[in-house]
Amino acid sequence: MLELMAWLETSALAEFLRGLGIWTYGLLNLAHIIGISSLFGAVLLLDLKLLGLWPSIPAASLIRPTVPLAALGFVLAAVSGVMMLSFNTTEYHGNPFLYVKLPVIVVGLVNVAIIQRLAAWRRAAAGLPAEPGDARTLAVFGGLSLLIWLTVISCGRMIGYW
Ligand code: HEM
C-alpha cells in the first residue's frame, strides 16, 4: 500500500499539481465538495423514492434527472479526490477512514451495477407497471445505497481528523 501511495505522490500528475500554486488544493477541495453534493443530493432523492417516499411521483420522473446528475457528481468527486490524494499521499498511510472509504466506494459502484440490472428497476425506469415484490426489492437496494454513500461521506469527512 505504501509503495502505491509513494508512487502516486511522486507521479508526474502530483508534481504538476503541486507546481500550480497555493490555490490548487483549495480549488480541488471545492470541486470535490461540488461533486459530493451533486452525487449525494441526487442519490438521496432517488433512494428515498426507492424506499417508498412520494408515491404519487412516478419513479421514472425522478430516475431521469437524478441518475445522470449522480454519475456526473461521482466523476467530479473521484477525479478531484485522486488529485487531492496525490498532494501528500503517504501522509494518509494507515488512515482507517481512507482505507474504509475507498473500498466502500467500490461497493457503491457494484450496488449501482446490480440495481440497473434488476427487472424491478428496469420496469420503474421505463414507467411500466410494477409487479408484486418490486417495491420491496427497490427499497432494499435503495436503503443499501443510502447506507453506502452515507458511510463514504462520513469517512471522507473524518479522514482529516485522524
Ligand atoms: C476515488 C475517489 C475519491 C478519493 C481518492 C477521495 C479522496 C479524498 C481526500 C484525499 C480527501 C481529503 C481528506 C483530508 O485530508 O481532509 C477527501 C475528502 C472528502 N471526501 Fe473524498 N475522495 C473520493 C471520492 C469521494 C466520494 C465519492 C465522496 C462522497 C460521496 C467523498 C466524500 C468526501 C468528503 C465528505 C470529504 C471531506 C471534505 C471536506 O471536509 O473538505 N469522496 N476525499
Side-chain angles (χ1 to χ4, degrees):
M1 192 64 175
L2 189 58
E3 287 79 14
L4 190 66
M5 288 177 141
W7 170 81
L8 181 60
E9 194 172 72
T10 53
S11 65
L13 171 76
E15 303 284 0
F16 170 74
L17 289 170
R18 281 192 296 266
L20 285 178
I22 54 165
W23 288 95
T24 313
Y25 190 90
L27 290 173
L28 286 173
N29 204 359
L30 176 63
H32 205 56
I33 297 290
I34 293 171
I36 296 161
S37 47
S38 309
L39 166 66
F40 192 69
V43 156
L44 184 62
L45 277 179
L46 186 55
D47 288 347
L48 289 177
K49 172 67 191 161
L50 297 182
L51 280 166
L53 256 76
W54 313 301
S56 62
I57 300 177
S61 304
L62 264 180
I63 289 172
R64 215 170 299 124
T66 51
V67 170
L69 186 60
L72 206 70
F74 177 80
V75 170
L76 187 56
V79 171
S80 55
V82 171
M83 287 179 170
M84 280 159 67
L85 196 61
S86 75
F87 263 73
N88 45 358
T89 323
T90 50
E91 279 181 26
Y92 295 106
H93 180 62
N95 190 315
F97 295 109
L98 184 72
Y99 291 177
V100 171
K101 177 180 165 176
L102 296 182
V104 176
I105 289 176
V106 176
V107 174
L109 294 178
V110 170
N111 192 47
V112 170
I114 294 173
I115 290 179
Q116 298 205 331
R117 278 165 183 73
L118 295 174
W121 169 270
R122 291 194 175 165
R123 276 191 286 275
L128 297 172
E131 289 193 4
D134 279 5
R136 220 176 77 169
T137 307
L138 293 176
V140 167
F141 281 91
L144 201 62
S145 163
L146 207 51
L147 204 68
I148 289 168
W149 295 112
L150 275 173
T151 305
V152 174
I153 288 193
S154 308
C155 288
R157 192 64 191 92
M158 296 315 288
I159 289 172
Y161 292 96
W162 178 254

